[in-house]
Amino acid sequence: WIGTYGKGVARLVDLPEPPIPMDPPNQAETTKTRIMFRWSESSYSEYPVLYKVQISTKKDFSENTYLSNTISGDQWLIPDNILQKHKTYYWRVRGETILGETAWSKIYQFTIVTIIQMQINQSQIQINGQSQPLDKNPDVVPILREGRTFLPIRIIVESWEGTIGWENATKKVIIQVGEHTVYMIIGQSIAYVDNVPTKIDSNNHVVPFIYNGRTMLPLRFIAESLKAQVEWDAETQRVTLLYPLRR
C-alpha cells in the first residue's frame, strides 16, 4: 500500500498483521449462547485499527454467516439470539484501517454443549451447573441394574431439545433428538436406532422396564445412540453426559 505524506512524498506503508484469536480458544466447548470473543490486537500500525468478527456454522463461511459491526478494542460480546445450542461454530477476526483490511485471522471453532451430571440413587441432577429434580416424584432416581444405569430419560432428552413419546398399546418409547431416533419396547433387548435393529447390550437382560410407575431406560445405550458422550466415575457412581459428542 502507498501513503502520501507532506510535500507529495510517497512511501510504502504496510497493513498490520492479522489479529490472533484467543477466546473462545480453538476446539472449545461452552454451555453459553452469549459469549465474549477476544483476540490480540494487530501488530504495530501507523493508523488506528478497528476489527470485525465473522462467525459461521461452515468452516468455509459459505453460509449461515454472521458479521459483526466494526469493533474498537480487542473484545466483543455477541448479541443475543445469534448462537444456538448444540451447534459447532467457526470464527475469525480481521483488522481494518483507513488503508484497507488485514487478512483474516486463523479460524477457530467452538461448540455449544449441554453438560448433565447425576449420581446413582440421587433425585437431583445438574444441567449446565443448575440443580433440577430428575422427576416430580422425589423417589424416582437413577439406579443400577445388571451393572447398567437406568432412569426415566425425559428431562435429559428435552434438555437436548428432543422429544419423547409413549405408545401404550405396544409399550413402545420413541425418542427423537436432532436427526436421530431411538425406538425401544418394554422388556425387549433389541431397539431401533434410526430404523436399524440394534442390540441394546451384550447382556440380554439389559432391557427397558417399568418401576415406580416410570419407564426406566438404559442411559448409556440411549445417550450414545443419540450422539452424546458418556463418562462414568465408578468411585462416586457419577455419570456425566456431554451433548453433542465431541467431533
Side-chain angles (χ1 to χ4, degrees), residues 112-175:
I112 300 175
V113 301
T114 294
I115 299 174
I116 300 175
Q117 292 186 309
M118 69 194 75
Q119 281 185 286
I120 300 301
N121 295 324
Q122 298 294 316
S123 62
Q124 294 288 311
I125 68 173
Q126 302 286 323
I127 301 179
N128 292 337
Q130 300 295 315
S131 183
Q132 298 186 38
L134 174 64
D135 190 272
K136 61 184 179 181
N137 180 351
D139 293 330
V140 176
V141 297
I143 64 173
L144 287 177
R145 182 166 173 174
E146 297 291 336
R148 303 293 185 266
T149 301
F150 285 80
L151 76 165
I153 203 131
R154 179 176 297 277
I155 191 172
I156 294 172
V157 169
E158 291 178 350
S159 77
W160 294 342
E161 301 183 301
T163 60
I164 183 166
W166 169 255
E167 290 184 0
N168 191 56
T170 58
K171 306 299 183 186
K172 180 192 291 185
V173 181
I174 306 151
I175 302 169

Side-chain angles (χ1 to χ4, degrees), residues 60 107 111 116 151 158 183 191 216 237 244:
D60 62 2
I107 297 171
T111 302
I116 300 175
L151 76 165
E158 291 178 350
Y183 298 85
M216 306 296 282
Q237 293 193 316

Side-chain angles (χ1 to χ4, degrees), residues 65-84:
T65 298
Y66 179 84
L67 182 65
S68 73
N69 294 324
T70 303
I71 303 159
S72 175
D74 61 358
Q75 62 184 28
W76 170 66
L77 181 62
I78 191 168
D80 286 323
N81 303 318
I82 302 298
L83 303 179
Q84 298 177 27

Side-chain angles (χ1 to χ4, degrees), residues 26-125:
N26 199 23
Q27 306 290 335
E29 292 165 345
T30 178
T31 60
K32 299 178 180 179
T33 56
R34 194 174 189 211
I35 59 178
M36 184 75 77
F37 291 80
R38 295 184 176 88
W39 53 89
S40 67
E41 296 193 67
S42 297
S43 60
Y44 172 76
S45 170
E46 297 187 22
Y47 300 95
V49 182
L50 301 175
Y51 299 92
K52 283 190 175 179
V53 174
Q54 191 176 38
I55 303 166
S56 179
T57 55
K58 300 290 186 180
K59 193 171 184 178
D60 62 2
F61 295 84
S62 60
E63 58 184 73
N64 301 325
T65 298
Y66 179 84
L67 182 65
S68 73
N69 294 324
T70 303
I71 303 159
S72 175
D74 61 358
Q75 62 184 28
W76 170 66
L77 181 62
I78 191 168
D80 286 323
N81 303 318
I82 302 298
L83 303 179
Q84 298 177 27
K85 292 170 63 176
H86 309 142
K87 289 187 179 295
T88 294
Y89 290 92
Y90 301 89
W91 76 281
R92 59 187 180 180
V93 58
R94 74 181 177 200
E96 298 183 353
T97 75
I98 61 172
L99 297 179
E101 302 168 343
T102 71
W104 284 107
S105 69
K106 292 180 180 179
I107 297 171
Y108 277 15
Q109 77 175 66
F110 63 95
T111 302
I112 300 175
V113 301
T114 294
I115 299 174
I116 300 175
Q117 292 186 309
M118 69 194 75
Q119 281 185 286
I120 300 301
N121 295 324
Q122 298 294 316
S123 62
Q124 294 288 311
I125 68 173

Side-chain angles (χ1 to χ4, degrees), residues 148-213:
R148 303 293 185 266
T149 301
F150 285 80
L151 76 165
I153 203 131
R154 179 176 297 277
I155 191 172
I156 294 172
V157 169
E158 291 178 350
S159 77
W160 294 342
E161 301 183 301
T163 60
I164 183 166
W166 169 255
E167 290 184 0
N168 191 56
T170 58
K171 306 299 183 186
K172 180 192 291 185
V173 181
I174 306 151
I175 302 169
Q176 173 83 44
V177 175
E179 300 176 351
H180 302 288
T181 304
V182 177
Y183 298 85
M184 309 182 82
I185 297 175
I186 298 300
Q188 294 195 11
S189 62
I190 299 295
Y192 290 81
V193 179
D194 299 329
N195 294 318
V196 177
T198 307
K199 196 174 178 65
I200 293 174
D201 196 275
S202 58
N203 179 348
N204 289 332
H205 297 293
V206 176
V207 296
F209 62 96
I210 294 176
Y211 179 73
N212 279 346

